[in-house]
Amino acid sequence: MRILLSLLFASQSVLAADKGADALLNSLGGGPTESVAQPGASFMTSELNDPFLIQLFSHVQVERNLPYETRLWAQKILKKDFAGAAHLWTAIQKTLPGNFESTARAAYLYCLWKVGVPQTFFDEWVDALSRKSFSDSPLSLALDQTIQPGFEKWLSDSAITISQEQQQTLSQLDLSRGSHFATLRAWSVLRKGDLAAGPLELLPADHFLKIPLANTVALALARKGDLRGAGAVLKKHSEPAIEFRKDVRGLSEHYLEIARLLYQAGSLEGAADFYQRIPDKARDYLKAREELAWVWLRLGDTSKLRGELQTLRSAVFKDRFAPDVFVVRAISDLKLCFYGEVEKELNAFVESNRTWATRIEAALKLEDPTNDEPDFFSELAARAVVSRTNEAELLAALATQSITATLPAVGPQQHWEKARVRALVALDSAKKQSAEETRRNWKNRKAILAEAIRKMQFVKVELFSQVRSLTKQDTSSSPAVSALERDTGNRLKADTLAALKKTAEGEMVFPFDGVVWPDELFKLSSVAQSKCQEKVKQ
């Protein structure tokens, strides 16, 4: 009997060799000495250590009329030869009976998960979920149970990309299938404004997307002018998440966001309170002190303002991108009639920011500029590039293995070739997205610098106006004033700065998504002139 079976198997192999990809089934499938009637019998003592393998074992046992090739393929998976089974996907589909198709597709997805091609797995999985026959199948539910543990970390580490079509499919799935579907729903609406409000409510406080999703919603509300609503979102969702993580850095960022919202809402004392809560060891400390100076300026608290300015005069600001530091110092000096100091600040502003203007313009011209201030989204984009690169390389290796591991050789398997092409397209897209996230930082710097230039021009105009009023002389009859006007005017019109003036005036500036930056801060002329004119009258 064994001899007859061997002869039968040999004849099948010869016939399969003439059928291209079908030859893989016999050349990889093993010999006929493995039980055809009971293919699962040899696995009774094997360690089936997850829900999916247990379900697959049961289905293969129950289905008595499966084709021989299909049973051999299932045996490979039960033996945990996941790459070997995945190689056969193009060929095995030709032998699948209709009642086993959903089971086989789930098994193939399981192999992709185990092999480690995350974006390919995700794309194939969502495509399968769009079919109700698969979505409701027992093996699909078993796959959910298998991938759910650690799914959040897998999603973040792999930096999975969700297309608009995939987002539509995921939005229609029953979230009771597992917490990983709520995670996917949240992941798909990051930076989607109001669309993130619903998924935000679904996430527990310890979820890794809780804070970035809360920032997405808060930012959308702030842009609509609903500052109270934005603050409520941060209070309800961000604070519990930060408390759960005991994240000191996250707490400082949270205080900064609340302070900015309070500032924009006109609650200056409340903003000052939150700015001062940020510890001096925090990364955002200098930024907070810079913005706190604006609060003291608006409140007219001269003593605290001058004290704050001593911090802002530190040498650390010489090389740091902080154009508003020079602006607030100049305005403070102008309010107190320290005209010589105002001139120094104008010159220092031009000197420092001419360098930054050059760096900004140079960075924006590069295809892939460096990122010296990474945030959640730029780090995510960078991980996507690494993940897509590794996946493309692995898929190329799998395509090669599907030839060299088989006799007779029938060429790279079609599903590997398609997956590799998709991975290369995804890699190119990831690189462009990463570069765009980095450019976003430089674009925001450009907008901030342009706004600071505009404010400094107001300072210059007000300086000339006050000097004229105090001296009661025409500008042309005052050599000192004329020289000051000519010198500072020429500097502010330097070519490297002039290019930055094209940014639209008066628009709100957001250094990065999730954090609100103060918009136009004051009416300079009405604020700066009063005290100096009072001195003249005395």
Side-chain angles (χ1 to χ4, degrees):
M1 185 66 175
R2 289 173 61 88
I3 295 174
L4 289 175
L5 286 173
S6 298
L7 291 173
L8 175 63
F9 178 74
S11 64
Q12 288 176 338
S13 296
V14 172
L15 291 173
D18 296 329
K19 296 181 181 179
D22 293 344
L24 285 167
L25 293 169
N26 289 329
S27 61
L28 286 179
T33 54
E34 297 173 301
S35 172
V36 177
Q38 296 289 336
S42 61
F43 303 107
M44 296 303 293
T45 58
S46 298
E47 183 183 358
L48 303 180
N49 56 1
D50 66 36
F52 186 86
L53 289 180
I54 294 173
Q55 281 282 358
L56 179 62
F57 176 82
S58 300
H59 274 250
V60 173
Q61 288 290 91
V62 170
E63 294 290 343
R64 293 290 182 176
N65 297 321
L66 286 179
Y68 173 71
E69 296 87 354
T70 303
R71 288 187 180 278
L72 291 180
W73 181 71
Q75 286 181 4
K76 280 189 170 294
I77 299 174
L78 293 170
K79 287 180 177 179
K80 301 183 181 179
D81 182 10
F82 303 121
H87 289 325
L88 295 168
W89 180 240
T90 295
I92 197 65
Q93 292 180 77
K94 300 177 182 179
T95 72
L96 293 175
N99 62 345
F100 199 72
E101 184 177 353
S102 292
T103 297
R105 187 168 294 276
Y108 172 59
L109 289 170
Y110 179 84
C111 291
L112 293 179
W113 173 270
K114 289 294 187 179
V115 167
V117 283
Q119 188 66 50
T120 301
F121 163 80
F122 181 80
D123 293 341
E124 296 284 350
W125 181 45
V126 176
D127 178 65
L129 287 172
S130 65
R131 308 170 194 175
K132 186 172 179 58
S133 59
F134 173 85
S135 181
D136 295 339
S137 67
L139 266 294
S140 175
L141 297 174
L143 183 63
D144 288 346
Q145 296 175 22
T146 300
I147 68 178
Q148 183 173 339
F151 184 80
E152 293 177 17
K153 186 177 186 306
W154 174 84
L155 186 68
S156 177
D157 291 347
S158 304
I160 294 298
T161 301
I162 300 180
S163 68
Q164 290 293 332
E165 183 179 355
Q166 291 171 338
Q167 183 176 341
Q168 182 66 22
T169 298
L170 294 172
S171 67
Q172 297 173 356
L173 292 175
D174 184 0
L175 297 182
S176 64
R177 288 175 64 109
S179 61
H180 56 307
F181 283 100
T183 296
L184 281 175
R185 185 80 59 86
W187 186 266
S188 68
V189 295
L190 277 172
R191 307 174 93 172
K192 295 291 196 310
D194 293 342
L195 293 177
L200 176 61
E201 298 290 343
L202 301 174
L203 302 182
D206 61 341
H207 199 284
F208 83 107
L209 289 177
K210 191 70 169 178
I211 293 177
L213 205 63
N215 287 340
T216 291
V217 177
L219 181 61
L221 292 172
R223 282 174 168 162
K224 292 180 178 180
D226 185 3
L227 301 179
R228 180 183 295 274
V233 167
L234 295 177
K235 176 72 175 178
K236 179 180 178 181
H237 296 286
S238 290
E239 285 189 7
I242 293 170
E243 182 178 353
F244 179 87
R245 298 181 188 183
K246 302 186 184 305
D247 183 0
V248 176
R249 173 178 169 180
L251 184 61
S252 296
E253 293 175 349
H254 177 66
Y255 285 159
L256 191 62
E257 291 165 0
I258 295 295
R260 287 168 168 173
L261 287 174
L262 289 170
Y263 184 98
Q264 289 190 4
S267 178
L268 300 180
E269 291 84 357
D273 176 54
F274 277 92
Y275 279 128
Q276 292 177 92
R277 293 187 190 187
I278 298 175
D280 57 3
K281 301 295 184 182
R283 185 184 67 171
D284 296 316
Y285 176 73
L286 292 177
K287 190 179 296 183
R289 305 315 292 192
E290 173 189 337
E291 295 177 27
L292 179 60
W294 287 110
V295 174
W296 300 139
L297 181 65
R298 290 286 301 274
L299 289 172
D301 193 330
T302 306
S303 60
K304 289 183 178 178
L305 175 61
R306 299 307 292 182
E308 202 64 57
L309 290 179
Q310 290 304 313
T311 300
L312 299 182
R313 293 185 190 281
S314 169
V316 71
F317 289 98
K318 181 179 180 181
D319 299 321
R320 181 174 175 267
F321 180 75
D324 264 13
V325 166
F326 299 95
V327 177
V328 73
R329 291 193 322 218
I331 294 173
S332 172
D333 291 333
L334 188 61
K335 287 187 66 174
L336 299 176
C337 306
F338 298 149
Y339 298 124
E341 294 300 316
V342 177
E343 180 185 0
K344 291 179 182 178
E345 294 298 346
L346 284 166
N347 294 335
F349 174 83
V350 173
E351 186 64 28
S352 174
N353 290 293
R354 178 188 288 117
T355 301
W356 275 105
T358 302
R359 288 181 61 184
I360 290 169
E361 291 300 324
L364 290 175
K365 291 177 182 178
L366 295 176
E367 184 176 340
D368 187 16
T370 57
N371 188 4
D372 57 354
E373 282 192 1
D375 58 31
F376 176 86
F377 293 105
S378 62
E379 289 176 345
L380 182 63
R383 286 202 302 276
V385 173
V386 174
S387 181
R388 298 297 93 78
T389 300
N390 294 338
E391 183 166 348
E393 292 174 353
L394 179 54
L395 286 168
L398 288 169
T400 301
Q401 290 171 17
S402 70
I403 304 173
T404 59
T406 65
L407 289 173
V410 292
Q413 294 306 288
Q414 186 179 13
H415 60 286
W416 285 146
E417 283 295 289
K418 290 181 178 179
R420 186 179 67 84
V421 171
R422 288 198 304 268
L424 291 175
V425 172
L427 173 58
D428 184 62
S429 177
K431 288 180 177 179
K432 290 178 180 178
Q433 181 62 29
S434 180
E436 185 59 30
E437 292 294 344
T438 301
R439 277 196 292 271
R440 173 171 53 84
N441 179 44
W442 291 103
K443 287 178 181 177
N444 285 325
R445 282 177 172 170
K446 178 176 180 176
I448 292 168
L449 181 53
E451 181 68 9
I453 291 171
R454 189 168 71 90
K455 292 173 185 175
M456 205 56 127
Q457 288 174 325
F458 281 125
V459 173
K460 184 183 69 169
V461 170
E462 188 64 28
L463 172 62
F464 298 150
S465 175
Q466 290 190 29
V467 170
R468 291 190 193 104
S469 298
L470 291 172
T471 59
K472 300 184 183 300
Q473 295 178 11
D474 185 76
T475 307
S476 60
S477 64
S478 175
V481 174
S482 297
L484 171 62
E485 181 174 8
R486 182 176 61 256
D487 183 52
T488 55
N490 289 339
R491 289 175 184 270
L492 284 170
K493 292 176 183 177
D495 291 340
T496 54
L497 297 179
L500 298 177
K501 298 177 185 177
K502 298 176 182 178
T503 303
E505 296 185 357
E507 63 184 12
M508 293 182 70
V509 178
F510 301 90
F512 54 91
D513 284 359
V515 173
V516 183
W517 183 271
D519 56 347
E520 181 60 38
L521 298 172
F522 59 94
K523 298 291 186 182
L524 177 66
S525 181
S526 62
V527 172
Q529 191 172 0
S530 58
K531 287 195 173 183
C532 295
Q533 294 302 314
E534 288 174 3
K535 284 188 176 183
V536 174
K537 295 176 182 178
Q538 292 175 356

